[in-house]
Amino acid sequence: MGKGSVTDYHDLASLGEDIRRHILSNLGNDLYPPDPFRYFSGLAYAVRDRLIRMWLATQTAYYDSMSKRVYYLSMEFLPGRFLMNAIINMGMEQGCRETVTDLGFSLDDLAEEERDAGLGNGGLGRLASCYMDSIATCGIPGCGYGILYDYGLFHQTIVNGWQEEQADNWRRHGSPWVIDRMEHLYEVRFHGRSEAYADDKGNLRYRWADADTVMAMPCDILLPGHGGGHVTSMRLWAAASSQEFSLRDFNQGDFVGAMQAKILSENISKVLYPNDEPVAGKELRLKQQYFLVAATLRDIVRRHRKPGPAAFEGFADQVAIQLNDTHPTIAVAELMRILVDEEFLPWEDAWDICRETFAYTNHTVLPEALETWPMDLLGRVLPRHLEIIAEIDRRFQAEVAARHPGDDGKLARMAIIDRGSSRVRMAHLAIVGSHAVNGVARLHSDILRQHVFPDFDAFYPGKFTNVTNGVTPRRWLLQANPVLSALITEAIGPDWVRDLTELRRLAPLAEDAAFRQSWRAAKRDNKKRLARYVLRKAGLGINPDTLFDVQVKRMHEYKRQLLNVLHVVTLYNRLRRDPGLAVPPRTVLIGGKAAPGYFMAKRIIRLITAVAEKINADPAMRGRLRMLFLPNYCVSQAEKVIPAADLSQQISTAGMEASGTGNMKFALNGALTIGTLDGANIEIMQEVGEDNIFIFGLTADEVAAARTRGVDPRSRVRDDPELAEALDMIGRGFFAPDDPGLFTPVVESLLDRGDYYCVTADYRACLEAQDRVNALYLDPDAWSRKSILNTANMGFFSSDRAVMEYARNIWRIEPLKE
C-alpha cells in the first residue's frame, strides 16, 4: 500500500464528467439551472467513488497481513462535514478547485452546502472522530462503531435571548457519504427471559427465550488517512423492524397498529440522547447502548471468522475493543454471553478472553456521568445479561474478600452491583472486565487512581494508565486554518501535517519581526472571515481589530461561563467609570448548547444574551467592548471560530474537566490560553511554557479542601467591591429591567448554595489574569511572539501521538507498512 498507488484512485481528469454523471443518473436531476446543493452532491459522490476503491485496497491489505484490528466503540462521533476533509486528506484539493471553477462554482461555497453530521454531542464524540482520522493516517488496522442517528443532539436557536431546541434532521436530504450494507443485517434481542436447560452432555446451559427482535443494518462512512492509501470506516447501525407491516391489522381498519411495531423498533436509532427522565426514555437509552454493542460484536465475530474457521482461544490476539466511556460497557456482558451461551466455552476461559479483549477509557470524574442502571430495568430489557453481571460480580467479590478478609467497606465500594441502591455500576463492570483503564490527561488519570477508583487501582496494580487526548492537525489546522497553514508550510515545509512535533521548528521564527507581521496578518484574515460569518448568521458586526476573547464549549456550571460573564460585567463597569482606561478593545464570543432539561445552564445563556444586549446598545462601549452569543455551536462553526481567536477561555473548576480538546485546538492555532490548572491545561502549560499562558485560580487540591472546609461566599463578596457590584447588577435586574427577578436563581446558586464551582473564589484571580492579558495585547510584537510559541510547542497534542500510544501500550497493534 505505497503512496504511489494512491494517484490511481484520484483520477482527477474525469472528475468533472463524474460530477455531471452523478447529477444526472444518481440524483436524477438536470444540470441546469446549476444548483449549488446539486453540484455539491455530485462532487461528494464522485469523491466517494474514489474513496471506495481506496477502502477496498485497505481491506485487502488487512486480510492479506492477518493483522490484529482495533474496534473503537463509541455512542458518539462528531465528524463535522466530510467533503473538505476527504478532499484534503486525499490530496485532491487543487484539482477539485479547478474542476468546480470550470463548472461555475467555488469549492468553498459547495462545501458550505453540506450539513454537519448529527452523530455526537461534544468533546467525547469529536475526540472519537479525531482518533478515526489518526487511525487511518497512521495505518492502524481497525474501524469505529456507532449508531446512525436520524436526528442529532438538537439545533439551537436563540429566541428573545433564550435557547430553543429544534430537531436536527441532518439526513433530511440524504447523505452521499452513508453506504447501506443490507447484506449484513443482524438480529438484536430485547426483553424475554433467560431459560436454563441441560445440553446433550448434561451440562447446565442458558438461552435467551421469547425475546422481541429488532434488525440492525450497518451503514459505512469511509474516512481517508492523510497522504497515503489507507482508508478506515465508521460502521454505524440503523434500526429496522423485524415486523415491517401487519396486513391483518390494516385490513381490520387499524392503520396505526399495522405500522406500530416498525415505528417502535426504529425509534432505537432515531435520536441522539433521548430524554431519559421518564422510564420510557431510560429504557430507550439502554436499548440504544445494547443495540450498538450486540450488532457490533456480531460483526466483529463475523470478521474474525471471515478468513476461515477461527478458534476463540485466539480471539484477543486478533481483536482489540476500546470502550469510549461507560456507554458501551454492556459489551462485557454481551461477549461473555456469546462465549458461554453460544460458543459453550468454560466460564474461566471466556472471562480470560473478555478481559484481554476490552480496554476502557474513562472521560469523567463527575458522579452523574459515571453511569449506573437500575437492576429491575436491566433485568427487564436484558434478562440474561443481568444474570451474567451478577455472576461476574459474585466471582469478583470472592476475589476481593479473599485478599481483604473482613473488609466489608471495601467490598461495598468495589461491588459492581450496589446492593444499597439496587443499581449496576457500569464503570466498575468496565474496570473489572478490561485489561487496561485509561484517563485522558495526567491530572484526570491521577484523580481516577487516587480519588475516584483508589480501591481498584490498588487491587489491579498497573491496570490504570494515562493517554492524554490529542486532536488531528489535518482538521484543526490544515483544513480549518488554510491561511496560517500556508504560512507554516512556507516556513518549515509540509511534514508537520503528519508529524506535529515538526512545529517546534517555528520557535526561532518568533524572534523574526517579518514573520511576526505575517503571523498577525494571517490572524487578521481569520478574524475578518469570522466577522463575515457572524454578520451573516447573527446580523451583528464585530471588529477584527479588537481582541477576540472566545469561550465555546458545552454549557455546564463547572465550565464556568458564569465566571466569564462576571469578568465582562466588571470590565463594562470599569469602562463606564473611566472611558480612557488603557485596555485593548475587546469582542467577547461565547457559544455552546445547554441540555434541554438543565435549568441553570439555560438561565446562564439568557444572562449572557442579556448582558450582551445591554453592552452592545450602550453608545459608550462602541469601539471598546462588544459581546455576542454564537447560536448552534458545532464543528463547522468551530472551524471558523478557533482560527480567529486571540484568547482561549479554559476556565473550568480545577479537578472537574477530564482533559478538554478545545484547549488544544485553540493553542494549535495560536490563541493564548487563559485558564485554570485543570485537565490538559496543565500539560499545555508545561509544553508551551508558563510565560506563554495565563494560569489563575485554585488547584484541584485547593478546590477539594475548600469544599471540605466550607467557605461563605458572602464573605468573599463583602471583601470585593467589584464582585459585589457585578452580582448586585445581575440580581436586581439591571440586565433584565422588564423582569427584575429573572437572574435571581443565578446569584442564589453562588451565595446561598455554597458556590460549589468556586466562581466567587476564583473571581479576583481571574480579573488579575485578564489584566495581564490586556497589558500583553497592547504590545502586538510581544503577543505575536507568544502566539507563535504556543503553536510551535503543541506537537505533543496530536491525536496521532495518542493513537500510537494506544496501539503500542493497550491494543498491541502494529501499523500497516506503506
mmCIF file of all heavy atoms in Angstrom, residues 422-441:
data_model
loop_
_atom_site.group_PDB
_atom_site.id
_atom_site.type_symbol
_atom_site.label_atom_id
_atom_site.label_comp_id
_atom_site.label_asym_id
_atom_site.label_seq_id
_atom_site.Cartn_x
_atom_site.Cartn_y
_atom_site.Cartn_z
ATOM 1 N N SER A 422 -29.607 -0.909 44.520
ATOM 2 C CA SER A 422 -30.029 -1.903 43.506
ATOM 3 C C SER A 422 -29.743 -1.408 42.094
ATOM 4 O O SER A 422 -30.587 -1.476 41.207
ATOM 5 C CB SER A 422 -31.528 -2.233 43.662
ATOM 6 O OG SER A 422 -31.778 -2.842 44.886
ATOM 7 N N ARG A 423 -28.539 -0.893 41.926
ATOM 8 C CA ARG A 423 -28.132 -0.388 40.614
ATOM 9 C C ARG A 423 -26.811 -1.043 40.207
ATOM 10 O O ARG A 423 -25.972 -1.369 41.059
ATOM 11 C CB ARG A 423 -27.962 1.138 40.625
ATOM 12 C CG ARG A 423 -29.243 1.882 40.952
ATOM 13 C CD ARG A 423 -29.059 3.387 40.923
ATOM 14 N NE ARG A 423 -28.945 3.897 39.565
ATOM 15 C CZ ARG A 423 -29.971 4.333 38.842
ATOM 16 N NH1 ARG A 423 -31.197 4.303 39.342
ATOM 17 N NH2 ARG A 423 -29.785 4.798 37.618
ATOM 18 N N VAL A 424 -26.640 -1.205 38.903
ATOM 19 C CA VAL A 424 -25.407 -1.773 38.352
ATOM 20 C C VAL A 424 -24.464 -0.621 37.994
ATOM 21 O O VAL A 424 -24.836 0.286 37.239
ATOM 22 C CB VAL A 424 -25.697 -2.619 37.102
ATOM 23 C CG1 VAL A 424 -24.393 -3.149 36.508
ATOM 24 C CG2 VAL A 424 -26.631 -3.769 37.448
ATOM 25 N N ARG A 425 -23.257 -0.662 38.547
ATOM 26 C CA ARG A 425 -22.258 0.384 38.293
ATOM 27 C C ARG A 425 -21.465 -0.002 37.048
ATOM 28 O O ARG A 425 -20.578 -0.858 37.088
ATOM 29 C CB ARG A 425 -21.327 0.510 39.488
ATOM 30 C CG ARG A 425 -22.008 0.948 40.782
ATOM 31 C CD ARG A 425 -21.126 0.603 41.961
ATOM 32 N NE ARG A 425 -21.532 1.258 43.203
ATOM 33 C CZ ARG A 425 -21.135 0.872 44.403
ATOM 34 N NH1 ARG A 425 -20.329 -0.184 44.534
ATOM 35 N NH2 ARG A 425 -21.522 1.525 45.481
ATOM 36 N N MET A 426 -21.767 0.666 35.954
ATOM 37 C CA MET A 426 -21.176 0.262 34.682
ATOM 38 C C MET A 426 -19.679 0.542 34.625
ATOM 39 O O MET A 426 -18.925 -0.193 33.973
ATOM 40 C CB MET A 426 -21.897 0.949 33.526
ATOM 41 C CG MET A 426 -23.389 0.660 33.459
ATOM 42 S SD MET A 426 -23.798 -1.110 33.453
ATOM 43 C CE MET A 426 -23.353 -1.552 31.772
ATOM 44 N N ALA A 427 -19.220 1.590 35.276
ATOM 45 C CA ALA A 427 -17.779 1.859 35.293
ATOM 46 C C ALA A 427 -17.033 0.732 36.004
ATOM 47 O O ALA A 427 -15.949 0.327 35.581
ATOM 48 C CB ALA A 427 -17.499 3.198 35.964
ATOM 49 N N HIS A 428 -17.608 0.188 37.072
ATOM 50 C CA HIS A 428 -16.971 -0.936 37.776
ATOM 51 C C HIS A 428 -16.923 -2.167 36.876
ATOM 52 O O HIS A 428 -15.920 -2.895 36.853
ATOM 53 C CB HIS A 428 -17.739 -1.246 39.061
ATOM 54 C CG HIS A 428 -17.596 -0.184 40.113
ATOM 55 N ND1 HIS A 428 -17.840 -0.420 41.447
ATOM 56 C CD2 HIS A 428 -17.238 1.122 40.034
ATOM 57 C CE1 HIS A 428 -17.649 0.697 42.141
ATOM 58 N NE2 HIS A 428 -17.283 1.635 41.291
ATOM 59 N N LEU A 429 -18.009 -2.401 36.139
ATOM 60 C CA LEU A 429 -18.006 -3.530 35.208
ATOM 61 C C LEU A 429 -16.932 -3.350 34.143
ATOM 62 O O LEU A 429 -16.237 -4.307 33.785
ATOM 63 C CB LEU A 429 -19.386 -3.660 34.556
ATOM 64 C CG LEU A 429 -19.560 -4.763 33.514
ATOM 65 C CD1 LEU A 429 -19.338 -6.144 34.131
ATOM 66 C CD2 LEU A 429 -20.944 -4.692 32.865
ATOM 67 N N ALA A 430 -16.782 -2.135 33.649
ATOM 68 C CA ALA A 430 -15.763 -1.869 32.632
ATOM 69 C C ALA A 430 -14.362 -2.090 33.185
ATOM 70 O O ALA A 430 -13.491 -2.652 32.505
ATOM 71 C CB ALA A 430 -15.906 -0.440 32.105
ATOM 72 N N ILE A 431 -14.120 -1.656 34.407
ATOM 73 C CA ILE A 431 -12.789 -1.821 35.008
ATOM 74 C C ILE A 431 -12.472 -3.298 35.216
ATOM 75 O O ILE A 431 -11.388 -3.780 34.856
ATOM 76 C CB ILE A 431 -12.709 -1.059 36.347
ATOM 77 C CG1 ILE A 431 -12.794 0.451 36.107
ATOM 78 C CG2 ILE A 431 -11.420 -1.406 37.091
ATOM 79 C CD1 ILE A 431 -13.012 1.260 37.378
ATOM 80 N N VAL A 432 -13.421 -4.032 35.790
ATOM 81 C CA VAL A 432 -13.190 -5.447 36.085
ATOM 82 C C VAL A 432 -13.057 -6.246 34.794
ATOM 83 O O VAL A 432 -12.270 -7.202 34.712
ATOM 84 C CB VAL A 432 -14.334 -5.988 36.970
ATOM 85 C CG1 VAL A 432 -14.206 -7.490 37.156
ATOM 86 C CG2 VAL A 432 -14.331 -5.283 38.321
ATOM 87 N N GLY A 433 -13.806 -5.846 33.753
ATOM 88 C CA GLY A 433 -13.826 -6.626 32.518
ATOM 89 C C GLY A 433 -12.817 -6.216 31.473
ATOM 90 O O GLY A 433 -12.877 -6.714 30.347
ATOM 91 N N SER A 434 -11.881 -5.331 31.813
ATOM 92 C CA SER A 434 -10.889 -4.846 30.854
ATOM 93 C C SER A 434 -9.482 -5.113 31.349
ATOM 94 O O SER A 434 -9.250 -5.274 32.560
ATOM 95 C CB SER A 434 -11.055 -3.341 30.626
ATOM 96 O OG SER A 434 -12.319 -3.029 30.108
ATOM 97 N N HIS A 435 -8.530 -5.129 30.423
ATOM 98 C CA HIS A 435 -7.138 -5.300 30.831
ATOM 99 C C HIS A 435 -6.425 -3.977 31.024
ATOM 100 O O HIS A 435 -5.322 -3.923 31.582
ATOM 101 C CB HIS A 435 -6.363 -6.145 29.799
ATOM 102 C CG HIS A 435 -6.138 -5.458 28.490
ATOM 103 N ND1 HIS A 435 -7.059 -5.515 27.464
ATOM 104 C CD2 HIS A 435 -5.114 -4.702 28.027
ATOM 105 C CE1 HIS A 435 -6.606 -4.836 26.426
ATOM 106 N NE2 HIS A 435 -5.443 -4.322 26.746
ATOM 107 N N ALA A 436 -7.035 -2.861 30.560
ATOM 108 C CA ALA A 436 -6.430 -1.545 30.712
ATOM 109 C C ALA A 436 -7.530 -0.519 30.888
ATOM 110 O O ALA A 436 -8.582 -0.591 30.238
ATOM 111 C CB ALA A 436 -5.570 -1.194 29.500
ATOM 112 N N VAL A 437 -7.283 0.440 31.780
ATOM 113 C CA VAL A 437 -8.198 1.554 32.023
ATOM 114 C C VAL A 437 -7.373 2.828 31.933
ATOM 115 O O VAL A 437 -6.341 2.944 32.604
ATOM 116 C CB VAL A 437 -8.865 1.459 33.407
ATOM 117 C CG1 VAL A 437 -9.783 2.647 33.648
ATOM 118 C CG2 VAL A 437 -9.616 0.145 33.565
ATOM 119 N N ASN A 438 -7.812 3.766 31.101
ATOM 120 C CA ASN A 438 -7.015 4.990 30.984
ATOM 121 C C ASN A 438 -7.848 6.232 31.179
ATOM 122 O O ASN A 438 -9.017 6.304 30.798
ATOM 123 C CB ASN A 438 -6.298 5.065 29.627
ATOM 124 C CG ASN A 438 -7.222 5.334 28.463
ATOM 125 O OD1 ASN A 438 -7.880 4.430 27.962
ATOM 126 N ND2 ASN A 438 -7.260 6.594 28.012
ATOM 127 N N GLY A 439 -7.226 7.222 31.817
ATOM 128 C CA GLY A 439 -7.739 8.576 31.818
ATOM 129 C C GLY A 439 -7.197 9.318 30.618
ATOM 130 O O GLY A 439 -6.401 8.783 29.836
ATOM 131 N N VAL A 440 -7.603 10.585 30.472
ATOM 132 C CA VAL A 440 -7.321 11.295 29.228
ATOM 133 C C VAL A 440 -6.497 12.567 29.425
ATOM 134 O O VAL A 440 -6.359 13.374 28.510
ATOM 135 C CB VAL A 440 -8.636 11.609 28.485
ATOM 136 C CG1 VAL A 440 -9.263 10.327 27.962
ATOM 137 C CG2 VAL A 440 -9.618 12.371 29.368
ATOM 138 N N ALA A 441 -5.952 12.754 30.610
ATOM 139 C CA ALA A 441 -4.947 13.788 30.902
ATOM 140 C C ALA A 441 -4.271 13.363 32.196
ATOM 141 O O ALA A 441 -4.833 12.595 32.977
ATOM 142 C CB ALA A 441 -5.583 15.170 31.046
#
